[in-house]
Short mmCIF file of all heavy atoms in Angstrom, two decimals:
data_model
loop_
_atom_site.label_atom_id
_atom_site.label_comp_id
_atom_site.label_asym_id
_atom_site.label_seq_id
_atom_site.Cartn_x
_atom_site.Cartn_y
_atom_site.Cartn_z
N MET A 152 -18.26 -1.03 -10.87
CA MET A 152 -17.32 0.05 -10.53
C MET A 152 -16.62 0.43 -11.80
O MET A 152 -16.15 -0.41 -12.60
CB MET A 152 -16.34 -0.41 -9.48
CG MET A 152 -15.33 0.62 -9.06
SD MET A 152 -14.27 -0.02 -7.78
CE MET A 152 -14.38 1.28 -6.63
N ASN A 153 -16.48 1.72 -12.00
CA ASN A 153 -15.86 2.25 -13.19
C ASN A 153 -14.35 2.05 -13.11
O ASN A 153 -13.72 2.32 -12.10
CB ASN A 153 -16.15 3.74 -13.26
CG ASN A 153 -15.67 4.37 -14.53
OD1 ASN A 153 -15.07 3.70 -15.37
ND2 ASN A 153 -15.92 5.66 -14.68
N PRO A 154 -13.72 1.47 -14.16
CA PRO A 154 -12.26 1.22 -14.10
C PRO A 154 -11.45 2.50 -13.95
O PRO A 154 -10.40 2.49 -13.30
CB PRO A 154 -11.94 0.56 -15.47
CG PRO A 154 -13.23 0.13 -16.01
CD PRO A 154 -14.33 0.95 -15.37
N LEU A 155 -11.96 3.58 -14.43
CA LEU A 155 -11.22 4.85 -14.28
C LEU A 155 -11.20 5.34 -12.84
O LEU A 155 -10.21 5.80 -12.35
CB LEU A 155 -11.86 5.92 -15.16
CG LEU A 155 -11.12 7.23 -15.27
CD1 LEU A 155 -9.70 7.04 -15.80
CD2 LEU A 155 -11.85 8.17 -16.20
N SER A 156 -12.32 5.13 -12.11
CA SER A 156 -12.33 5.54 -10.69
C SER A 156 -11.44 4.65 -9.88
O SER A 156 -10.83 5.10 -8.91
CB SER A 156 -13.78 5.53 -10.16
OG SER A 156 -14.28 4.23 -10.18
N PHE A 157 -11.36 3.39 -10.26
CA PHE A 157 -10.45 2.45 -9.57
C PHE A 157 -8.99 2.87 -9.76
O PHE A 157 -8.23 2.85 -8.82
CB PHE A 157 -10.70 1.04 -10.15
CG PHE A 157 -10.07 -0.08 -9.37
CD1 PHE A 157 -10.47 -0.36 -8.09
CD2 PHE A 157 -9.03 -0.80 -9.93
CE1 PHE A 157 -9.91 -1.38 -7.38
CE2 PHE A 157 -8.41 -1.81 -9.22
CZ PHE A 157 -8.90 -2.10 -7.95
N LEU A 158 -8.69 3.31 -10.95
CA LEU A 158 -7.31 3.75 -11.27
C LEU A 158 -6.98 5.05 -10.48
O LEU A 158 -5.92 5.21 -9.97
CB LEU A 158 -7.15 4.00 -12.75
CG LEU A 158 -5.80 4.51 -13.23
CD1 LEU A 158 -4.70 3.48 -12.92
CD2 LEU A 158 -5.84 4.85 -14.70
N ARG A 159 -7.98 5.98 -10.42
CA ARG A 159 -7.77 7.21 -9.71
C ARG A 159 -7.51 6.96 -8.22
O ARG A 159 -6.70 7.63 -7.57
CB ARG A 159 -9.00 8.10 -9.83
CG ARG A 159 -9.07 8.78 -11.17
CD ARG A 159 -10.26 9.69 -11.23
NE ARG A 159 -10.40 10.24 -12.55
CZ ARG A 159 -11.51 10.83 -12.96
NH1 ARG A 159 -12.53 10.94 -12.15
NH2 ARG A 159 -11.55 11.29 -14.19
N PHE A 160 -8.19 5.98 -7.66
CA PHE A 160 -7.98 5.62 -6.28
C PHE A 160 -6.53 5.18 -6.04
O PHE A 160 -5.91 5.64 -5.09
CB PHE A 160 -8.95 4.52 -5.84
CG PHE A 160 -8.67 3.96 -4.47
CD1 PHE A 160 -8.94 4.70 -3.34
CD2 PHE A 160 -8.05 2.72 -4.32
CE1 PHE A 160 -8.67 4.23 -2.06
CE2 PHE A 160 -7.78 2.20 -3.07
CZ PHE A 160 -8.08 2.98 -1.94
N PHE A 161 -6.02 4.34 -6.87
CA PHE A 161 -4.68 3.83 -6.70
C PHE A 161 -3.62 4.92 -6.97
O PHE A 161 -2.53 4.91 -6.41
CB PHE A 161 -4.38 2.62 -7.59
CG PHE A 161 -4.91 1.35 -6.94
CD1 PHE A 161 -5.99 0.71 -7.46
CD2 PHE A 161 -4.28 0.84 -5.82
CE1 PHE A 161 -6.47 -0.43 -6.86
CE2 PHE A 161 -4.77 -0.30 -5.23
CZ PHE A 161 -5.86 -0.97 -5.73
N LEU A 162 -3.95 5.87 -7.82
CA LEU A 162 -3.05 6.98 -8.06
C LEU A 162 -3.04 7.96 -6.89
O LEU A 162 -2.03 8.67 -6.69
CB LEU A 162 -3.39 7.71 -9.32
CG LEU A 162 -3.15 6.94 -10.63
CD1 LEU A 162 -3.65 7.75 -11.82
CD2 LEU A 162 -1.68 6.61 -10.80
N ARG A 163 -4.06 7.99 -6.09
CA ARG A 163 -4.10 8.87 -4.93
C ARG A 163 -3.51 8.23 -3.67
O ARG A 163 -3.25 8.92 -2.70
CB ARG A 163 -5.58 9.27 -4.61
CG ARG A 163 -6.09 10.22 -5.66
CD ARG A 163 -7.40 10.79 -5.27
NE ARG A 163 -7.40 11.44 -3.96
CZ ARG A 163 -7.09 12.69 -3.75
NH1 ARG A 163 -6.75 13.48 -4.72
NH2 ARG A 163 -7.14 13.20 -2.50
N LEU A 164 -3.21 6.95 -3.67
CA LEU A 164 -2.66 6.27 -2.51
C LEU A 164 -1.32 6.93 -2.05
O LEU A 164 -1.18 7.09 -0.83
CB LEU A 164 -2.46 4.77 -2.77
CG LEU A 164 -3.72 3.94 -2.65
CD1 LEU A 164 -3.39 2.49 -2.99
CD2 LEU A 164 -4.35 4.06 -1.28
N PRO A 165 -0.40 7.25 -2.92
CA PRO A 165 0.84 7.90 -2.43
C PRO A 165 0.55 9.22 -1.73
O PRO A 165 1.18 9.57 -0.70
CB PRO A 165 1.66 8.09 -3.67
CG PRO A 165 1.18 7.08 -4.64
CD PRO A 165 -0.26 6.92 -4.34
N VAL A 166 -0.40 9.96 -2.24
CA VAL A 166 -0.75 11.24 -1.61
C VAL A 166 -1.32 11.04 -0.23
O VAL A 166 -0.92 11.71 0.74
CB VAL A 166 -1.77 12.00 -2.50
CG1 VAL A 166 -2.27 13.26 -1.77
CG2 VAL A 166 -1.17 12.36 -3.84
N ILE A 167 -2.16 10.05 -0.09
CA ILE A 167 -2.76 9.72 1.22
C ILE A 167 -1.66 9.27 2.19
O ILE A 167 -1.59 9.66 3.35
CB ILE A 167 -3.85 8.69 1.06
CG1 ILE A 167 -5.01 9.26 0.25
CG2 ILE A 167 -4.30 8.18 2.41
CD1 ILE A 167 -6.06 8.23 -0.16
N ALA A 168 -0.74 8.42 1.68
CA ALA A 168 0.33 7.92 2.54
C ALA A 168 1.24 9.08 3.02
O ALA A 168 1.64 9.09 4.17
CB ALA A 168 1.13 6.88 1.78
N PHE A 169 1.59 10.00 2.15
CA PHE A 169 2.43 11.14 2.54
C PHE A 169 1.71 12.04 3.54
O PHE A 169 2.32 12.54 4.49
CB PHE A 169 2.88 11.95 1.34
CG PHE A 169 4.03 11.37 0.62
CD1 PHE A 169 3.89 10.86 -0.68
CD2 PHE A 169 5.26 11.29 1.21
CE1 PHE A 169 4.96 10.30 -1.33
CE2 PHE A 169 6.35 10.76 0.55
CZ PHE A 169 6.22 10.25 -0.70
N ARG A 170 0.43 12.20 3.40
CA ARG A 170 -0.30 13.04 4.37
C ARG A 170 -0.34 12.35 5.75
O ARG A 170 -0.20 13.03 6.77
CB ARG A 170 -1.72 13.29 3.87
CG ARG A 170 -1.72 14.29 2.75
CD ARG A 170 -3.07 14.63 2.26
NE ARG A 170 -3.02 15.60 1.16
CZ ARG A 170 -4.05 15.95 0.47
NH1 ARG A 170 -5.26 15.46 0.74
NH2 ARG A 170 -3.92 16.80 -0.51
N ILE A 171 -0.55 11.05 5.78
CA ILE A 171 -0.57 10.33 7.05
C ILE A 171 0.80 10.40 7.68
O ILE A 171 0.92 10.60 8.88
CB ILE A 171 -1.04 8.88 6.84
CG1 ILE A 171 -2.51 8.86 6.50
CG2 ILE A 171 -0.75 8.05 8.08
CD1 ILE A 171 -3.03 7.48 6.07
N SER A 172 1.87 10.20 6.89
CA SER A 172 3.20 10.30 7.46
C SER A 172 3.51 11.69 8.01
O SER A 172 4.20 11.86 8.99
CB SER A 172 4.27 9.85 6.42
OG SER A 172 4.33 10.77 5.39
N GLY A 173 2.96 12.71 7.36
CA GLY A 173 3.14 14.06 7.85
C GLY A 173 2.47 14.27 9.17
O GLY A 173 2.98 14.92 10.06
N LEU A 174 1.26 13.69 9.34
CA LEU A 174 0.59 13.75 10.63
C LEU A 174 1.36 13.08 11.74
O LEU A 174 1.48 13.60 12.85
CB LEU A 174 -0.83 13.20 10.52
CG LEU A 174 -1.80 13.97 9.67
CD1 LEU A 174 -3.09 13.16 9.50
CD2 LEU A 174 -2.10 15.32 10.31
N VAL A 175 1.92 11.95 11.42
CA VAL A 175 2.75 11.19 12.38
C VAL A 175 3.95 11.98 12.75
O VAL A 175 4.32 12.09 13.95
CB VAL A 175 3.09 9.79 11.85
CG1 VAL A 175 4.11 9.11 12.76
CG2 VAL A 175 1.84 8.93 11.69
N ARG A 176 4.59 12.61 11.78
CA ARG A 176 5.79 13.38 12.05
C ARG A 176 5.48 14.58 12.93
O ARG A 176 6.19 14.92 13.86
CB ARG A 176 6.39 13.89 10.70
CG ARG A 176 7.65 14.65 10.85
CD ARG A 176 8.19 15.04 9.53
NE ARG A 176 7.04 15.37 8.66
CZ ARG A 176 7.12 16.01 7.55
NH1 ARG A 176 8.24 16.42 7.08
NH2 ARG A 176 6.02 16.26 6.82
N ILE A 177 4.34 15.26 12.68
CA ILE A 177 3.97 16.43 13.49
C ILE A 177 3.68 16.02 14.89
O ILE A 177 4.06 16.67 15.87
CB ILE A 177 2.78 17.14 12.83
CG1 ILE A 177 3.21 17.85 11.57
CG2 ILE A 177 2.15 18.14 13.81
CD1 ILE A 177 2.06 18.36 10.74
N THR A 178 2.98 14.87 15.06
CA THR A 178 2.67 14.37 16.39
C THR A 178 3.93 14.03 17.15
O THR A 178 4.04 14.35 18.33
CB THR A 178 1.74 13.10 16.28
OG1 THR A 178 0.59 13.46 15.55
CG2 THR A 178 1.38 12.65 17.69
N ASN A 179 4.86 13.33 16.50
CA ASN A 179 6.12 12.98 17.16
C ASN A 179 6.92 14.23 17.53
O ASN A 179 7.48 14.32 18.64
CB ASN A 179 6.98 12.08 16.29
CG ASN A 179 6.37 10.70 16.19
OD1 ASN A 179 5.58 10.27 17.05
ND2 ASN A 179 6.70 9.97 15.13
N ARG A 180 6.94 15.23 16.69
CA ARG A 180 7.65 16.47 16.98
C ARG A 180 7.01 17.17 18.18
O ARG A 180 7.72 17.69 19.08
CB ARG A 180 7.63 17.38 15.75
CG ARG A 180 8.48 18.64 15.97
CD ARG A 180 8.37 19.60 14.79
NE ARG A 180 8.72 18.94 13.55
CZ ARG A 180 8.39 19.39 12.35
NH1 ARG A 180 7.73 20.52 12.26
NH2 ARG A 180 8.76 18.76 11.27
N ALA A 181 5.72 17.22 18.26
CA ALA A 181 5.03 17.84 19.38
C ALA A 181 5.32 17.09 20.66
O ALA A 181 5.55 17.69 21.72
CB ALA A 181 3.52 17.86 19.12
N ARG A 182 5.35 15.76 20.59
CA ARG A 182 5.68 14.95 21.78
C ARG A 182 7.05 15.23 22.30
O ARG A 182 7.29 15.41 23.49
CB ARG A 182 5.53 13.47 21.47
CG ARG A 182 5.75 12.58 22.66
CD ARG A 182 5.73 11.12 22.33
NE ARG A 182 4.56 10.78 21.51
CZ ARG A 182 4.44 9.64 20.85
NH1 ARG A 182 5.36 8.71 20.91
NH2 ARG A 182 3.39 9.39 20.13
N ARG A 183 8.05 15.32 21.38
CA ARG A 183 9.41 15.57 21.79
C ARG A 183 9.55 17.00 22.37
O ARG A 183 10.25 17.20 23.36
CB ARG A 183 10.38 15.43 20.60
CG ARG A 183 10.63 14.02 20.20
CD ARG A 183 11.73 13.90 19.18
NE ARG A 183 11.54 14.76 18.00
CZ ARG A 183 11.01 14.39 16.85
NH1 ARG A 183 10.53 13.15 16.72
NH2 ARG A 183 10.89 15.19 15.85
N GLY A 184 8.89 17.97 21.77
CA GLY A 184 8.92 19.35 22.26
C GLY A 184 8.30 19.47 23.61
O GLY A 184 8.85 20.15 24.51
N PHE A 185 7.16 18.82 23.82
CA PHE A 185 6.49 18.84 25.11
C PHE A 185 7.35 18.22 26.18
O PHE A 185 7.54 18.74 27.27
CB PHE A 185 5.17 18.10 24.95
CG PHE A 185 4.30 18.16 26.20
CD1 PHE A 185 3.91 19.38 26.72
CD2 PHE A 185 3.85 16.98 26.81
CE1 PHE A 185 3.09 19.44 27.85
CE2 PHE A 185 3.03 17.07 27.92
CZ PHE A 185 2.64 18.28 28.42
N ARG A 186 7.99 17.10 25.84
CA ARG A 186 8.86 16.38 26.78
C ARG A 186 10.05 17.29 27.12
O ARG A 186 10.50 17.39 28.29
CB ARG A 186 9.37 15.10 26.16
CG ARG A 186 10.12 14.21 27.11
CD ARG A 186 10.59 12.98 26.43
NE ARG A 186 9.50 12.30 25.74
CZ ARG A 186 9.02 11.11 26.10
NH1 ARG A 186 9.56 10.47 27.07
NH2 ARG A 186 8.03 10.60 25.45
N ARG A 187 10.63 17.97 26.14
CA ARG A 187 11.79 18.85 26.33
C ARG A 187 11.44 20.02 27.28
O ARG A 187 12.22 20.36 28.19
CB ARG A 187 12.28 19.36 24.99
CG ARG A 187 13.52 20.20 25.09
CD ARG A 187 14.11 20.56 23.72
NE ARG A 187 13.12 20.93 22.72
CZ ARG A 187 12.86 20.19 21.62
NH1 ARG A 187 13.47 19.06 21.40
NH2 ARG A 187 11.91 20.58 20.74
N VAL A 188 10.27 20.60 27.09
CA VAL A 188 9.84 21.73 27.95
C VAL A 188 9.61 21.23 29.36
O VAL A 188 9.98 21.90 30.34
CB VAL A 188 8.56 22.38 27.35
CG1 VAL A 188 7.91 23.31 28.38
CG2 VAL A 188 8.88 23.09 26.11
N LEU A 189 9.03 20.08 29.51
CA LEU A 189 8.80 19.54 30.88
C LEU A 189 10.13 19.24 31.57
O LEU A 189 10.24 19.51 32.80
CB LEU A 189 7.96 18.29 30.84
CG LEU A 189 6.49 18.49 30.39
CD1 LEU A 189 5.79 17.15 30.29
CD2 LEU A 189 5.76 19.42 31.34
N ARG A 190 11.07 18.75 30.85
CA ARG A 190 12.44 18.52 31.47
C ARG A 190 13.07 19.82 31.85
O ARG A 190 13.70 19.95 32.88
CB ARG A 190 13.30 17.73 30.50
CG ARG A 190 13.04 16.29 30.45
CD ARG A 190 14.08 15.57 29.63
NE ARG A 190 13.69 14.17 29.48
CZ ARG A 190 13.66 13.50 28.35
NH1 ARG A 190 14.11 14.15 27.26
NH2 ARG A 190 13.32 12.29 28.30
N LYS A 191 12.91 20.82 31.01
CA LYS A 191 13.48 22.14 31.26
C LYS A 191 12.90 22.76 32.54
O LYS A 191 13.59 23.49 33.28
CB LYS A 191 13.25 23.06 30.07
CG LYS A 191 13.95 24.39 30.12
CD LYS A 191 13.70 25.16 28.83
CE LYS A 191 14.38 26.50 28.88
NZ LYS A 191 14.09 27.23 27.64
N GLU A 192 11.62 22.47 32.80
CA GLU A 192 10.95 22.99 33.97
C GLU A 192 11.37 22.19 35.24
O GLU A 192 11.04 22.61 36.34
CB GLU A 192 9.44 22.92 33.82
CG GLU A 192 8.89 23.90 32.81
CD GLU A 192 9.17 25.34 33.18
OE1 GLU A 192 9.04 25.67 34.37
OE2 GLU A 192 9.50 26.14 32.29
N GLY A 193 12.07 21.09 35.06
CA GLY A 193 12.57 20.33 36.21
C GLY A 193 11.63 19.29 36.78
O GLY A 193 11.80 18.91 37.96
N LEU A 194 10.68 18.84 35.98
CA LEU A 194 9.80 17.76 36.50
C LEU A 194 10.49 16.41 36.50
O LEU A 194 11.34 16.17 35.64
CB LEU A 194 8.54 17.72 35.63
CG LEU A 194 7.58 18.89 35.73
CD1 LEU A 194 6.49 18.75 34.69
CD2 LEU A 194 7.01 18.99 37.15
N PRO A 195 10.09 15.55 37.40
CA PRO A 195 10.71 14.18 37.43
C PRO A 195 10.25 13.38 36.19
O PRO A 195 9.20 13.63 35.60
CB PRO A 195 10.13 13.58 38.70
CG PRO A 195 9.57 14.69 39.51
CD PRO A 195 9.28 15.79 38.55
N GLU A 196 11.08 12.40 35.82
CA GLU A 196 10.83 11.61 34.61
C GLU A 196 9.53 10.85 34.64
O GLU A 196 8.84 10.71 33.65
CB GLU A 196 12.01 10.67 34.34
CG GLU A 196 13.21 11.32 33.72
CD GLU A 196 12.94 11.85 32.35
OE1 GLU A 196 12.22 11.19 31.54
OE2 GLU A 196 13.44 12.93 32.06
N ASP A 197 9.17 10.33 35.82
CA ASP A 197 7.92 9.51 35.87
C ASP A 197 6.70 10.40 35.63
O ASP A 197 5.76 9.98 34.97
CB ASP A 197 7.81 8.77 37.22
CG ASP A 197 7.89 9.67 38.43
OD1 ASP A 197 8.41 10.82 38.28
OD2 ASP A 197 7.53 9.26 39.51
N ILE A 198 6.72 11.61 36.11
CA ILE A 198 5.61 12.53 35.87
C ILE A 198 5.62 12.96 34.39
O ILE A 198 4.54 13.06 33.76
CB ILE A 198 5.72 13.77 36.79
CG1 ILE A 198 5.53 13.31 38.24
CG2 ILE A 198 4.72 14.83 36.38
CD1 ILE A 198 5.69 14.41 39.27
N ILE A 199 6.77 13.15 33.83
CA ILE A 199 6.88 13.55 32.43
C ILE A 199 6.26 12.42 31.55
O ILE A 199 5.49 12.73 30.63
CB ILE A 199 8.33 13.81 32.02
CG1 ILE A 199 8.81 15.08 32.67
CG2 ILE A 199 8.47 13.88 30.52
CD1 ILE A 199 10.29 15.37 32.48
N GLU A 200 6.59 11.17 31.85
CA GLU A 200 6.06 10.08 31.05
C GLU A 200 4.49 10.02 31.09
O GLU A 200 3.87 9.80 30.10
CB GLU A 200 6.65 8.74 31.54
CG GLU A 200 8.08 8.56 31.21
CD GLU A 200 8.37 8.66 29.71
OE1 GLU A 200 7.57 8.11 28.92
OE2 GLU A 200 9.34 9.28 29.36
N VAL A 201 3.97 10.25 32.29
CA VAL A 201 2.49 10.23 32.44
C VAL A 201 1.85 11.35 31.64
O VAL A 201 0.86 11.18 30.94
CB VAL A 201 2.13 10.32 33.93
CG1 VAL A 201 0.59 10.51 34.08
CG2 VAL A 201 2.54 9.04 34.67
N LEU A 202 2.44 12.56 31.73
CA LEU A 202 1.90 13.71 31.00
C LEU A 202 2.05 13.54 29.49
O LEU A 202 1.13 13.86 28.74
CB LEU A 202 2.60 14.96 31.46
CG LEU A 202 2.30 15.44 32.89
CD1 LEU A 202 3.15 16.60 33.28
CD2 LEU A 202 0.83 15.76 33.02
N VAL A 203 3.17 13.00 29.02
CA VAL A 203 3.37 12.83 27.61
C VAL A 203 2.39 11.78 27.06
O VAL A 203 1.84 11.94 25.99
CB VAL A 203 4.84 12.48 27.28
CG1 VAL A 203 5.01 12.00 25.85
CG2 VAL A 203 5.71 13.67 27.54
N GLU A 204 2.21 10.69 27.78
CA GLU A 204 1.28 9.66 27.33
C GLU A 204 -0.16 10.17 27.32
O GLU A 204 -0.98 9.75 26.50
CB GLU A 204 1.38 8.39 28.19
CG GLU A 204 2.66 7.67 28.00
CD GLU A 204 2.87 7.23 26.53
OE1 GLU A 204 1.89 6.80 25.89
OE2 GLU A 204 3.99 7.40 26.08
N GLY A 205 -0.47 11.12 28.21
CA GLY A 205 -1.82 11.72 28.18
C GLY A 205 -2.05 12.66 27.04
O GLY A 205 -3.13 12.91 26.61
N LEU A 206 -0.90 13.21 26.50
CA LEU A 206 -0.98 14.11 25.38
C LEU A 206 -1.33 13.38 24.10
O LEU A 206 -2.10 13.86 23.27
CB LEU A 206 0.32 14.88 25.19
CG LEU A 206 0.50 15.72 23.92
CD1 LEU A 206 -0.35 16.98 24.07
CD2 LEU A 206 1.98 16.05 23.72
N VAL A 207 -0.72 12.22 23.87
CA VAL A 207 -0.86 11.50 22.64
C VAL A 207 -2.07 10.63 22.66
O VAL A 207 -2.23 9.80 23.56
CB VAL A 207 0.45 10.65 22.40
CG1 VAL A 207 0.32 9.89 21.12
CG2 VAL A 207 1.66 11.53 22.36
N PRO A 208 -2.96 10.76 21.65
CA PRO A 208 -4.11 9.88 21.63
C PRO A 208 -3.72 8.46 21.32
O PRO A 208 -2.87 8.24 20.47
CB PRO A 208 -4.97 10.49 20.53
CG PRO A 208 -4.07 11.25 19.68
CD PRO A 208 -2.97 11.71 20.54
N ASP A 209 -4.32 7.55 22.02
CA ASP A 209 -4.01 6.15 21.81
C ASP A 209 -5.01 5.56 20.79
O ASP A 209 -6.17 5.36 21.08
CB ASP A 209 -4.11 5.37 23.12
CG ASP A 209 -3.66 3.95 23.00
OD1 ASP A 209 -2.85 3.66 22.10
OD2 ASP A 209 -4.08 3.11 23.82
N VAL A 210 -4.51 5.34 19.59
CA VAL A 210 -5.34 4.82 18.51
C VAL A 210 -4.75 3.46 18.10
O VAL A 210 -3.55 3.36 17.79
CB VAL A 210 -5.37 5.77 17.31
CG1 VAL A 210 -6.20 5.17 16.16
CG2 VAL A 210 -5.94 7.13 17.71
N GLU A 211 -5.59 2.48 18.06
CA GLU A 211 -5.16 1.17 17.57
C GLU A 211 -5.38 1.18 16.06
O GLU A 211 -6.45 0.96 15.55
CB GLU A 211 -5.93 0.07 18.21
CG GLU A 211 -5.70 -0.02 19.70
CD GLU A 211 -6.48 -1.17 20.33
OE1 GLU A 211 -6.92 -2.07 19.61
OE2 GLU A 211 -6.63 -1.12 21.56
N TRP A 212 -4.24 1.50 15.35
CA TRP A 212 -4.31 1.70 13.90
C TRP A 212 -4.76 0.48 13.12
O TRP A 212 -5.43 0.57 12.12
CB TRP A 212 -3.00 2.24 13.38
CG TRP A 212 -2.79 3.65 13.80
CD1 TRP A 212 -1.94 4.08 14.76
CD2 TRP A 212 -3.43 4.82 13.31
NE1 TRP A 212 -2.03 5.45 14.90
CE2 TRP A 212 -2.93 5.91 14.02
CE3 TRP A 212 -4.42 5.04 12.33
CZ2 TRP A 212 -3.37 7.21 13.73
CZ3 TRP A 212 -4.82 6.31 12.07
CH2 TRP A 212 -4.30 7.38 12.80
N LYS A 213 -4.33 -0.70 13.59
CA LYS A 213 -4.69 -1.91 12.86
C LYS A 213 -6.19 -2.13 12.88
O LYS A 213 -6.81 -2.45 11.85
CB LYS A 213 -4.01 -3.12 13.46
CG LYS A 213 -2.52 -3.13 13.17
CD LYS A 213 -1.85 -4.37 13.74
CE LYS A 213 -0.37 -4.32 13.47
NZ LYS A 213 0.32 -5.47 14.01
N LYS A 214 -6.86 -1.88 14.01
CA LYS A 214 -8.28 -2.04 14.12
C LYS A 214 -8.97 -0.89 13.33
O LYS A 214 -10.03 -1.05 12.75
CB LYS A 214 -8.75 -2.01 15.56
CG LYS A 214 -8.42 -3.27 16.29
CD LYS A 214 -9.04 -3.21 17.71
CE LYS A 214 -8.71 -4.45 18.47
NZ LYS A 214 -9.24 -4.41 19.85
N PHE A 215 -8.39 0.30 13.42
CA PHE A 215 -8.98 1.46 12.76
C PHE A 215 -8.98 1.33 11.24
O PHE A 215 -9.93 1.66 10.57
CB PHE A 215 -8.19 2.74 13.19
CG PHE A 215 -8.77 3.95 12.59
CD1 PHE A 215 -9.96 4.49 13.07
CD2 PHE A 215 -8.10 4.64 11.61
CE1 PHE A 215 -10.48 5.67 12.53
CE2 PHE A 215 -8.59 5.79 11.07
CZ PHE A 215 -9.80 6.31 11.52
N LEU A 216 -7.87 0.78 10.71
CA LEU A 216 -7.74 0.70 9.27
C LEU A 216 -8.48 -0.53 8.67
O LEU A 216 -8.79 -0.55 7.50
CB LEU A 216 -6.25 0.62 8.87
CG LEU A 216 -5.48 1.91 9.15
CD1 LEU A 216 -4.02 1.69 8.83
CD2 LEU A 216 -6.04 3.08 8.36
N ARG A 217 -8.76 -1.52 9.49
CA ARG A 217 -9.51 -2.67 9.00
C ARG A 217 -11.01 -2.36 9.09
O ARG A 217 -11.52 -2.01 10.13
CB ARG A 217 -9.27 -3.92 9.89
CG ARG A 217 -7.98 -4.57 9.57
CD ARG A 217 -7.94 -5.90 10.31
NE ARG A 217 -6.56 -6.18 10.60
CZ ARG A 217 -6.11 -6.91 11.57
NH1 ARG A 217 -6.98 -7.40 12.45
NH2 ARG A 217 -4.85 -7.11 11.77
N ARG A 218 -11.63 -2.48 7.98
CA ARG A 218 -13.08 -2.22 7.93
C ARG A 218 -13.81 -3.51 7.75
O ARG A 218 -13.46 -4.33 6.95
CB ARG A 218 -13.45 -1.28 6.80
CG ARG A 218 -12.91 0.10 6.97
CD ARG A 218 -13.44 0.95 5.86
NE ARG A 218 -12.87 2.28 5.94
CZ ARG A 218 -13.09 3.22 5.05
NH1 ARG A 218 -13.80 2.97 3.99
NH2 ARG A 218 -12.56 4.39 5.24
N LYS A 219 -14.82 -3.66 8.53
CA LYS A 219 -15.68 -4.88 8.38
C LYS A 219 -16.65 -4.57 7.29
O LYS A 219 -17.42 -3.61 7.36
CB LYS A 219 -16.39 -5.21 9.66
CG LYS A 219 -15.42 -5.66 10.71
CD LYS A 219 -16.14 -6.08 11.96
CE LYS A 219 -15.13 -6.53 12.99
NZ LYS A 219 -15.78 -7.02 14.21
N THR A 220 -16.69 -5.43 6.30
CA THR A 220 -17.61 -5.22 5.19
C THR A 220 -18.75 -6.16 5.21
O THR A 220 -18.79 -7.12 5.93
CB THR A 220 -16.90 -5.35 3.82
OG1 THR A 220 -16.29 -6.66 3.78
CG2 THR A 220 -15.87 -4.26 3.64
#
């Protein structure tokens, strides 16, 4: 492995981390907005919870980020 490519990878890690955090922020904002609209429409809380959980994809990040080599 080229040492320069190894260095470039580590220099790109903060960029990747900021992009992932941006995706998480957008997802959380959408979840809160969806929940707010459902409350405004007068739906019961138990139905709101089921609908909100259906909106958000369930990803097990620890398993996703671990790669078997």
Side-chain angles (χ1 to χ4, degrees):
M152 181 179 229
N153 187 358
L155 188 57
S156 64
F157 192 66
L158 179 64
R159 284 182 185 165
F160 171 74
F161 278 109
L162 290 176
R163 290 191 52 89
L164 280 178
V166 173
I167 294 169
F169 279 113
R170 287 184 180 171
I171 291 172
S172 67
L174 291 173
V175 170
R176 182 180 36 165
I177 290 169
T178 304
N179 289 338
R180 185 183 306 161
R182 183 185 312 166
R183 286 190 307 267
F185 186 57
R186 187 181 309 247
R187 184 173 39 249
V188 168
L189 292 176
R190 281 189 187 132
K191 187 176 179 181
E192 292 296 321
L194 291 173
E196 280 297 319
D197 55 342
I198 294 176
I199 290 174
E200 289 302 319
V201 170
L202 291 174
V203 169
E204 290 303 317
L206 171 74
V207 178
D209 187 24
V210 177
E211 295 181 19
W212 289 104
K213 289 182 181 179
K214 286 184 181 179
F215 182 72
L216 293 176
R217 282 189 209 152
R218 293 184 183 176
K219 293 185 179 182
T220 55

